Amino acid sequence: MNDKVILLLCKCGTNIAGVIDVEKIADEISKQNGVPCYIHDHWCSEDGLQKMREIIENEKPSRIIIAACTPHLHEELFREHAEKSGLNGGYVEVVNIREQCSWVHWQHPEQATIKAIDLIRAAIEAAPYLTPTRKVKIPVKRNALVIGGGVAGITAALNLAEKGIQVYLVEKTGFLGGHMAKLDKVFPTLDCSICILGPLLSKAYTHPNIKVLTLSEVKEVKGTPGNYKVKILKKPRYVDEEKCNGCNKCLDICPIEMPNEYNNGLGFRKAIVKPVPEMVPPAPYIDIENCIGCMSCVGVCDKEAINFEQKEEEIEINVGAIIVATGFSIIGEEELAEFGYGKFKNVILGIELERLINPDGPTKGKVVRISDGGEVKRAAIILCAGSRDERHLPYCCKFGCMAGLKHAFYLATLNPKVDVYVFYIDIRAAGKGFEEFYQRVRKLENVYFIKGIPCEIEENEDGTLKIRAFEAMIGEVLEFVVDLVVLEAGVKPAEGSKELSRILRIPLSPEGFFLEYHPKLRPSETFMRGIFLAGACQGPKDIADSVSHAGLAASKATTLLLKDNLEIEVQAPIVDHSKCIKCGLCVLSCDYNALKLTGEGLKVIEEACAGCQACIAACPTGALQTTIDLSNEAISTMIKTMLKEKKEYPLIIIFACKWCGYEALDNAGINRIPYPTGTRIIEVTCSARVNPIHILEALEQGADGVMIIGCREQDCHYRTGRTRANRKINALREALKIMGINPERVEIIGAGAPEGEEVAERITKFVEKIKDIGPLGSEFEVGNSVDQ
Amino acid sequence: MQLISVDHLMEYEWKAEKLVKKLKFHQDRCIGCGLCVKVCPEEAIMLGPVKEVAAGEIEAPLIIIDETKCVVCPLCSAICPLNAITVEFKNKPEYLKAKGKIEVDQNKCLPCLLCEKICPRNAIKAEIRIPKKEELVEYETEEIWAEGAIKIDEEKCVYCGLCEILCDAIKIVWSEPKPPDYKPALTILLDEEKCDYCKLCEDICPVQAIKVECKASAPRKVLEVKIEGRLEIDENECIYCKLCEFKCPVEAIKVEKIFEGEVEMTNLEKCDPSGCKNCINICPANSIYVPKKEKGIKISDKSCIYCGACEEACPEQVLRIIRRSIRIEASDSLWDNPLRKYLLKVLEGYTPPQPEVYARPIRPVKKIIKIPASLAVPPKSPGFKTAKEIISKLADFLRERKIRFLLELGRIEKLREILTKD
């Protein structure tokens, strides 16, 4: 194997070549570094890839540097093809000269070219220190876990089960069905909701390949795609599901009544809970917090199904793939206070109206005034309550308009007829049959549409509500008095999404929904290969879209599960025992207990390793070697090369974490948001991987400042990586201050993947600040001090 | 639930296919304090005529249980300080109970008769074995004489009764203990003629109330007196009033009450203890008395158990019991927490924890649908035969292809034409 390094330069049409002088780069690199350069318009095309493989097979280089778009887009593709030609994927390094160069520095093409040359040179010099990837074959477990028993979870579970895959369906509440089971009818066909969902629930509950675990939550997930070890906590139901025959006699006899959470507090339920008579599973559960132990239910149960001996169970399962289908939750009193929800009795949510209309609901299907049970003669429906509102939820809830029209239809066609006033900003009726439904409702003579959301709602003495709204079409303020106000309230991620994202180690988007791999092309996949998303947990959706999304997730999961083996990259580091001085710093830095110092030396526990690389940053001698990230030597070399010929000021080094920081920088590129050209970017696995020595090296060699862009602390992909990085950087800043160097030269920030604008702004500000501080050494000039 | 027997013990039975529950109400133990009324989740208990019963006008049960509402849950039996209600059924779990604590330090306890005499519920039995003094004083010769002086200090004497058991020379005039000082005896009498100054009573007295000086005596040997025995406490009767702890001369009993709190008295001018003695009659702990120089009544905080019976018995609503804390013995069962929420309702100012959900209590309107009964004997019509013939004829028509065709295709006009022809 020779030491040959080859550079492949991509023009990417005009995307790169339009700003950067590609020919100049090829010229300079081949002359100064003696590295052969090949230029192509699109290395990622069929033709490009073929040419790349030819080059590898003919010239047999030891390393390949590809200067093109962001590695997050095509690095895997290039590595795959390199492997096919016999070159280990780890020896292929992609340099980002598009999203982080040509797309953001178009205002200064010369500086952009210089930056590109610096970045490429750095990669070339660091090439000898690239480490090969270690791949292992994991046998795939042909089981799947579906988290969530709503319509999306059930669809995904049935899909998988029909293919012969064993499914564990985990549901947090006591019963299946989610939000869809609460509805009376679904738009636009006005099918009875439980009539179409019920058979699916029963099918899932009794399917031989599906094991339904209700009152259960996922507590811990370890392992790799193809082989996840999951710990589930199952709360006791106190009723034996196998014995119970669903006769409901226990519900009648129980003396304790509590407000019914299933109906958001409308009406009552007993301490033995079964909110609706036909739920699945048919066995009720006992609310042990409120059961007074009178044993009356035991007395009437023919099948002796009540069992107070049941205890909390911890269940461990082994699955190949996980599908998240946790759905959404509806906002409440806090966000809807301005409409009087929580204060005025007759202001209710859309989902609560569904419960009133539902014949199984708290009033057995009669729509009444909540305050006194009286007749409803006039009703108001307010769309976008809490949605499309900067103060609460900036995004659209997707199904609120259609739900509002459905509710208008319900009320307007009741007997006796109700006058319905619909307050809207827009009517979004974009699905199949939706516009026709809208027209149908619009034509009803007792439904009035008012273009304007009410600004004031007051309660009269008799419980009726006075509404004032500005009607935009006629330009006047109108007043209404109604018996009932229905709010089509906004939706937010399901309760516990944050905790689940931490357990599964998958990131959330800024609104809190689970982040998909790509919103257009891969909406059901996440950045973890074995974890998929189904339904509204990824973003607000109606039932039809949830079902499609769930089907896609099941399909993608099947692709994984039907393999016998899965090749995955090992993330754990390797130990060079000859260099290890047994100082124990790595063990201290590891939050996953993946390193142990025994009498025989340092031991790495691969199954526990999360891959954050913080240990590599902590090791003082370089005994710990990375297999998935740039090694310490590689980074040092890159820094040295980037700062060798300093052709601009200020010049800062940016370490960006591959999950959020690097993504945010790419996002700035995609959105063409510019920032200063004096920025040299190095990608690291996690902000915790940044070695303080590297920061000092950077400053030493001429960098005017160093910035670390990681995830937001609470979103760190490795849970505590960002926190540990903060600790290190803050300590370093203090140390610099004590030594007389301005600590403001080093900064650590957090930004989410879609926050390109934010990160560009922060970089621009930082560069401005560095300019004010002056180049390194200004601190010691007469008249300056560190405490400026 | 059904009432199955009435006596001093009223027994109720709740029956279901798989379980029979019994609720036993001991009428004679109930004092009408009303604590059970406060904790019942079904509001199935109502107070009876407490004022009239306390006044001695009638005899009646002091609570009334509504059989249609009671579900035989653990709550009333858990709160009752007099153990007047018990709940029994097969496999009944251990439930928590509002209970006090009573502990005897057998090392300190003599035992003596004081707590037995003091206890308002006769819950303590003192088994005392002291040899008679004649067994302990051994005269060496036939001579029996002694000279000396003996004095019993009645200020110090607590009327523990030990010296009386020991020696016939001492007699205690026992009486009913009354608040506020709860003296169990009127006085202690000494017959000095019988006394031979053996000093055994001085040794045995726990409060050093007896001083004996023997100037001279016939030769004799006096053995040491040892008290043997123990206290037996019936915790089913004990109401943890703390009187025994108050009175014990050697601090051998420690009691924790079920409730701590205070009694609030208002409109005291309406209280006329010369006529009305309701509260004094009803009080289970013998706590209420008429003070010598003040108006109205007074309640001894030494023995009051804050049950609230006096509050219910007073016809002028002079008394209000404010309970500040409750002692609950947990059973570590699944139902401790929910049951506790109900028991805490007896405390002043307790608000039960609100459920997290936005509660709106609406109920469906109950529709009673009546289906009329069908007739047992079907009526017969005179035209039945004719109808039968016509139908048979139509069936024959429809067996003809042509007509059947018209029917299947719905050609009503043509069909009408053909059928009306025949």
Side-chain angles (χ1 to χ4, degrees):
Chain A
M1 188 65 99
N2 53 21
D3 271 334
K4 204 156 161 195
V5 180
I6 293 188
L7 172 65
L8 303 177
L9 274 165
C10 193
K11 283 166 108 174
C12 198
T14 54
N15 281 312
I16 294 177
V19 175
I20 292 175
D21 189 345
V22 177
E23 310 285 334
K24 182 167 174 210
I25 297 180
D27 198 40
E28 280 215 32
I29 300 278
S30 54
K31 279 206 199 109
Q32 285 200 15
N33 297 65
V35 166
C37 304
Y38 297 89
I39 302 178
H40 196 287
D41 249 309
H42 292 283
W43 282 109
C44 55
S45 64
E46 276 253 11
D47 183 58
L49 289 167
Q50 199 186 344
K51 280 214 168 62
M52 179 182 91
R53 293 186 55 184
E54 274 166 25
I55 293 170
I56 296 175
E57 280 155 24
N58 294 339
E59 313 217 8
K60 294 197 178 30
S62 62
R63 307 284 189 270
I64 290 244
I65 310 292
I66 308 178
C69 54
T70 174
H72 283 200
L73 205 49
H74 291 311
E75 188 175 58
E76 254 181 68
L77 179 70
F78 291 136
R79 285 190 171 174
E80 205 186 298
H81 281 263
E83 298 251 334
K84 284 200 187 127
S85 300
L87 179 66
N88 184 298
Y91 294 140
V92 176
E93 179 73 11
V94 176
V95 177
N96 189 335
I97 58 170
R98 188 181 75 170
E99 280 86 339
Q100 291 176 10
C101 198
S102 67
W103 273 358
V104 288
H105 300 316
W106 77 90
Q107 294 166 355
H108 307 281
E110 274 186 33
Q111 299 288 54
T113 310
I114 291 173
K115 175 171 172 176
I117 294 177
D118 274 353
L119 292 172
I120 293 170
R121 272 220 179 98
I124 292 174
E125 300 279 324
Y129 303 106
L130 291 173
T131 51
T133 57
R134 272 196 314 152
K135 288 215 164 101
V136 283
K137 269 208 166 107
I138 308 267
V140 173
K141 279 248 151 241
R142 200 157 288 173
N143 299 341
L145 167 67
V146 176
I147 308 177
V151 66
I154 297 281
T155 305
L158 283 170
N159 241 290
L160 291 169
E162 293 287 299
K163 293 188 183 100
I165 295 168
Q166 173 71 32
V167 181
Y168 295 93
L169 181 59
V170 168
E171 165 60 41
K172 186 160 68 175
T173 69
F175 301 96
L176 300 175
H179 282 99
M180 187 175 171
K182 295 191 185 183
L183 306 176
D184 182 43
K185 295 190 169 50
V186 293
F187 57 73
T189 47
L190 299 182
D191 288 17
C192 152
S193 178
I194 196 65
C195 305
I196 53 179
L197 183 63
L200 290 177
L201 300 182
S202 297
K203 195 165 170 198
Y205 190 62
T206 53
H207 202 289
N209 288 342
I210 302 182
K211 186 155 163 65
V212 175
L213 298 167
T214 48
L215 295 174
S216 304
E217 275 183 66
V218 172
K219 285 297 175 198
E220 192 185 82
V221 171
K222 279 195 172 136
T224 57
N227 198 344
Y228 288 111
K229 290 188 184 56
V230 183
K231 274 203 186 124
I232 297 170
L233 193 64
K234 187 174 194 320
K235 293 208 190 92
R237 203 179 187 87
Y238 301 110
V239 175
D240 189 332
E241 284 179 59
E242 318 242 316
K243 289 189 180 165
C244 173
N245 61 8
C247 72
N248 294 343
K249 277 199 278 192
C250 50
L251 304 178
D252 289 327
I253 204 82
C254 176
I256 301 295
E257 268 190 344
M258 302 296 298
N260 195 341
E261 311 85 345
Y262 194 73
N263 300 333
N264 274 24
L266 290 166
F268 300 92
R269 51 105 171 146
K270 298 292 180 73
I272 185 164
V273 187
K274 194 171 174 187
V276 167
E278 321 84 34
M279 299 193 93
V280 171
Y285 69 88
I286 294 183
D287 173 13
I288 204 68
E289 297 290 311
N290 289 297
C291 164
I292 57 170
C294 71
M295 305 293 169
S296 303
C297 50
V298 174
V300 296
C301 182
D302 300 316
K303 307 278 294 201
E304 295 182 17
I306 311 235
N307 180 358
F308 285 107
E309 303 291 316
Q310 281 185 9
K311 301 253 179 298
E312 219 173 57
E313 250 185 276
E314 199 180 76
I315 302 172
E316 279 194 41
I317 58 173
N318 210 192
V319 294
I322 301 177
I323 298 186
V324 180
T326 49
F328 63 92
S329 68
I330 301 177
I331 57 178
E333 285 120 78
E334 198 192 303
E335 296 92 336
L336 299 172
E338 70 184 85
F339 297 106
Y341 182 67
K343 242 190 328 176
F344 308 145
K345 286 234 167 69
N346 290 324
V347 176
I348 61 173
L349 300 179
I351 192 80
E352 292 168 12
L353 179 69
E354 291 282 344
R355 297 306 302 149
L356 290 179
I357 298 250
N358 196 314
D360 277 329
T363 55
K364 299 274 179 266
K366 234 177 119 53
V367 178
V368 294
R369 292 212 306 222
I370 309 295
S371 56
D372 58 2
E375 221 188 303
V376 172
K377 295 206 187 72
R378 307 146 295 186
I381 299 181
I382 303 180
L383 305 184
C384 297
S387 300
R388 305 179 66 193
D389 186 339
E390 274 166 6
R391 298 164 300 159
H392 304 298
L393 306 176
Y395 52 87
C396 169
C397 71
K398 206 96 188 292
F399 54 76
C401 288
M402 289 310 295
L405 291 174
K406 176 180 55 160
H407 295 152
F409 189 84
Y410 282 164
L411 293 170
T413 51
L414 281 178
N415 194 2
K417 286 213 178 128
V418 176
D419 281 335
V420 182
Y421 305 97
V422 180
F423 296 85
Y424 69 99
I425 309 173
D426 297 298
I427 299 284
R428 296 184 162 175
K432 186 167 176 179
F434 288 12
E435 177 66 21
E436 293 86 329
F437 186 69
Y438 171 41
Q439 292 302 328
R440 194 172 157 198
V441 174
R442 192 107 210 192
K443 291 198 177 99
L444 290 173
E445 56 167 10
N446 50 335
V447 178
Y448 305 90
F449 283 81
I450 293 110
K451 188 166 173 78
I453 298 296
C455 50
E456 209 175 81
I457 300 186
E458 272 170 20
E459 194 179 33
N460 298 326
E461 265 178 31
D462 59 354
T464 55
L465 299 142
K466 187 165 80 177
I467 302 177
R468 278 164 65 90
F470 178 74
E471 217 290 356
M473 309 264 238
I474 57 175
E476 273 183 38
V477 175
L478 302 177
E479 253 185 42
F480 304 83
V481 177
V482 296
D483 300 299
L484 193 67
V485 171
V486 180
L487 303 173
E488 302 302 334
V491 305
K492 52 183 186 187
E495 299 275 333
S497 289
K498 264 218 155 86
E499 184 58 33
L500 189 61
S501 88
R502 236 164 259 160
I503 293 172
L504 294 172
R505 304 218 296 256
I506 53 174
L508 301 172
S509 28
E511 297 92 23
F513 293 96
F514 288 98
L515 187 63
E516 66 286 301
Y517 192 100
H518 191 279
K520 289 251 182 271
L521 296 180
R522 294 165 78 163
S524 272
E525 295 160 79
T526 65
F527 289 102
M528 289 292 262
R529 211 162 147 193
I531 303 184
F532 305 92
L533 304 172
C537 65
Q538 179 253 350
K541 287 189 189 53
D542 66 350
I543 293 167
D545 287 343
S546 293
V547 170
S548 309
H549 199 241
L552 179 61
S555 166
K556 293 283 178 177
T558 310
T559 311
L560 169 61
L561 294 170
L562 290 181
K563 289 195 171 65
D564 287 320
N565 289 305
L566 200 61
E567 227 179 40
I568 56 161
E569 258 182 65
V570 177
Q571 311 205 69
I574 313 176
V575 186
D576 181 350
H577 290 280
S578 64
K579 290 190 180 160
C580 176
I581 57 170
K582 303 196 181 65
C583 64
L585 270 170
C586 55
V587 181
L588 265 177
S589 73
C590 179
D591 253 12
Y592 299 92
N593 297 320
L595 290 159
K596 254 204 173 86
L597 208 51
T598 62
E600 290 145 15
L602 184 64
K603 193 160 171 289
V604 177
I605 303 163
E606 285 186 14
E607 310 84 70
C609 174
C612 70
Q613 316 288 299
C615 52
I616 314 246
C619 177
T621 59
L624 272 172
Q625 287 159 11
T626 177
T627 52
I628 59 167
D629 198 358
L630 295 168
S631 59
N632 284 335
E633 296 91 336
I635 295 184
S636 291
T637 316
M638 278 185 164
I639 293 174
K640 197 158 80 177
T641 318
M642 284 171 181
L643 296 167
K644 200 153 57 171
E645 288 173 40
K646 215 172 132 181
K647 288 203 185 124
E648 56 184 317
Y649 168 82
L651 190 64
I652 62 169
I653 303 283
I654 299 181
F655 290 97
C657 89
K658 85 173 189 203
W659 298 100
C660 287
Y662 199 84
E663 283 285 328
L665 288 166
D666 279 347
N667 182 281
I670 293 171
N671 291 314
R672 310 295 196 277
I673 304 171
Y675 50 85
T677 52
T679 46
R680 304 289 181 261
I681 300 164
I682 298 178
E683 186 186 356
V684 289
T685 332
C686 176
S687 46
R689 190 264 174 275
V690 177
N691 194 334
I693 304 286
H694 289 146
I695 300 179
L696 294 175
E697 272 177 15
L699 291 171
E700 210 186 342
Q701 306 205 11
D704 302 299
V706 176
M707 195 177 198
I708 297 126
I709 309 180
C711 301
R712 292 188 178 277
E713 189 164 348
Q714 63 276 20
D715 297 328
C716 177
H717 181 83
Y718 301 101
R719 276 184 288 144
T720 54
R722 177 65 207 280
T723 319
R724 288 177 277 155
N726 280 354
R727 264 204 317 257
K728 276 189 279 191
I729 303 300
N730 288 335
L732 184 68
R733 281 164 59 111
E734 266 308 304
L736 285 170
K737 188 169 172 186
I738 294 170
M739 302 294 288
I741 309 281
N742 193 331
E744 298 294 320
R745 292 190 188 277
V746 176
E747 196 173 299
I748 177 166
I749 66 165
E755 292 183 79
E757 197 174 329
E758 162 87 15
V759 90
E761 211 182 291
R762 296 293 291 268
I763 294 176
T764 312
K765 280 208 184 97
F766 184 65
V767 171
E768 280 299 312
K769 186 169 67 170
I770 297 290
K771 219 191 258 174
D772 285 336
I773 295 178
L776 187 66
S778 322
E779 296 88 326
F780 301 108
E781 284 169 26
V782 176
N784 292 349
S785 79
V786 165
D787 301 304
Q788 271 175 290
Chain B
M1 183 165 91
Q2 269 192 339
L3 181 62
I4 59 172
S5 86
V6 194
D7 199 3
H8 284 289
L9 174 66
M10 289 174 77
E11 207 172 302
Y12 297 84
E13 200 177 71
W14 180 98
K15 238 180 159 153
E17 295 87 63
K18 292 284 175 178
L19 191 64
V20 175
K21 296 193 273 187
K22 281 200 162 60
L23 185 141
K24 294 191 176 147
F25 170 53
H26 303 260
Q27 268 197 68
D28 44 351
R29 302 174 74 97
C30 178
I31 51 169
C33 64
L35 287 172
C36 53
V37 178
K38 291 185 170 65
V39 301
C40 177
E42 297 299 298
E43 294 177 0
I45 310 184
M46 211 168 70
L47 276 175
V50 184
K51 299 179 183 36
E52 289 78 0
V53 170
E57 288 165 21
I58 57 170
E59 261 183 44
L62 288 169
I63 59 164
I64 301 163
I65 302 178
D66 184 343
E67 294 139 56
T68 58
K69 290 186 182 168
C70 174
V71 292
V72 191
C73 78
L75 281 162
C76 51
S77 55
I79 196 75
C80 181
L82 276 290
N83 298 322
I85 306 185
T86 51
V87 164
E88 284 157 30
F89 53 86
K90 184 167 155 208
N91 293 333
K92 180 174 94 95
E94 273 295 311
Y95 297 116
L96 45 61
K97 176 124 177 73
K99 199 171 166 178
K101 189 168 165 198
I102 182 164
E103 227 172 25
V104 178
D105 185 346
Q106 297 291 355
N107 295 331
K108 287 188 178 167
C109 175
L110 302 166
C112 72
L113 281 176
L114 251 178
C115 49
E116 185 179 313
K117 297 277 180 193
I118 283 298
C119 179
R121 309 300 301 169
N122 294 323
I124 310 186
K125 286 277 168 290
E127 187 209 307
I128 306 177
R129 290 190 299 278
I130 308 175
K132 286 295 251 195
K133 67 147 277 168
E134 287 76 8
E135 298 167 41
L136 295 170
V137 182
E138 288 172 3
Y139 280 94
E140 282 157 31
T141 64
E142 296 276 317
E143 289 176 65
I144 300 176
W145 62 268
E147 263 176 37
I150 176 170
K151 184 144 173 45
I152 299 180
D153 184 350
E154 272 217 67
E155 301 275 302
K156 282 190 178 172
C157 175
V158 290
Y159 308 102
C160 70
L162 286 176
C163 53
E164 187 187 53
I165 301 176
L166 176 69
C167 177
D168 290 337
I170 301 182
K171 259 260 149 320
I172 298 179
V173 182
W174 297 104
S175 70
E176 272 302 308
K178 280 194 167 50
D181 49 3
Y182 295 100
K183 274 168 70 172
L186 290 173
T187 187
I188 180 166
L189 301 169
L190 173 66
D191 186 357
E192 212 165 332
E193 308 255 312
K194 292 192 178 159
C195 177
D196 68 354
Y197 313 102
C198 64
K199 280 188 186 250
L200 282 170
C201 57
E202 183 178 322
D203 291 336
I204 209 176
C205 179
V207 294
Q208 293 93 50
I210 309 183
K211 285 272 169 291
V212 181
E213 202 195 315
C214 181
K215 294 202 184 101
S217 74
R220 67 187 182 191
K221 208 159 59 171
V222 180
L223 299 170
E224 215 185 305
V225 59
K226 279 207 178 62
I227 315 169
E228 274 176 7
R230 57 178 291 127
L231 287 182
E232 287 298 324
I233 302 177
D234 183 351
E235 278 206 64
N236 199 38
E237 297 295 324
C238 176
I239 56 172
Y240 309 96
C241 67
K242 260 183 137 148
L243 262 180
C244 48
E245 182 180 317
F246 171 47
K247 275 306 205 181
C248 179
V250 294
E251 293 180 4
I253 302 190
K254 285 274 169 287
V255 177
E256 283 175 39
K257 293 195 189 186
I258 303 178
F259 299 110
E260 291 292 353
E262 61 235 28
V263 182
E264 191 186 75
M265 292 200 246
T266 46
N267 304 326
L268 206 53
E269 61 285 356
K270 293 212 177 132
C271 172
D272 176 23
S274 59
C276 167
K277 293 228 175 355
N278 286 11
C279 56
I280 298 176
N281 292 340
I282 205 82
C283 179
N286 192 15
S287 306
I288 312 186
Y289 62 100
V290 184
K292 287 211 167 48
K293 298 234 169 73
E294 295 162 55
K295 294 203 91 169
I297 49 114
K298 254 184 128 74
I299 300 183
S300 162
D301 62 352
K302 291 274 179 313
S303 58
C304 176
I305 62 168
Y306 308 100
C307 63
C310 53
E311 185 180 337
E312 298 299 336
C314 179
E316 299 294 344
Q317 290 165 330
V318 172
L319 298 164
R320 190 165 91 87
I321 309 302
I322 299 172
R323 281 169 287 269
R324 299 266 179 224
S325 69
I326 176 174
R327 187 179 184 280
I328 297 175
E329 256 179 32
S331 66
D332 288 329
S333 70
L334 292 170
W335 304 281
D336 271 9
N337 283 332
L339 289 171
R340 195 186 302 263
K341 281 189 263 188
Y342 289 91
L343 294 186
L344 293 176
K345 279 179 167 185
V346 304
L347 297 180
E348 182 74 12
Y350 174 74
T351 44
Q354 293 303 317
E356 276 166 26
V357 67
Y358 174 32
R360 282 152 292 178
I362 55 173
R363 287 190 194 275
V365 174
K366 278 213 159 84
K367 280 189 270 198
I368 305 166
I369 306 167
K370 270 198 117 79
I371 311 281
S374 42
L375 296 171
V377 180
K380 264 210 151 97
S381 162
F384 182 63
K385 218 164 161 206
T386 327
K388 217 166 137 187
E389 277 167 22
I390 293 177
I391 291 174
S392 184
K393 209 167 177 193
L394 184 60
D396 289 335
F397 277 148
L398 290 180
R399 288 195 187 95
E400 286 175 45
R401 192 169 158 270
K402 198 168 156 199
I403 301 180
R404 185 56 172 277
F405 221 46
L406 291 172
L407 184 93
E408 295 282 342
L409 291 175
R411 302 263 178 83
I412 299 181
E413 282 302 324
K414 209 69 210 284
L415 195 61
R416 190 182 293 152
E417 240 182 78
I418 297 188
L419 288 176
T420 45
K421 250 197 252 169
D422 296 291

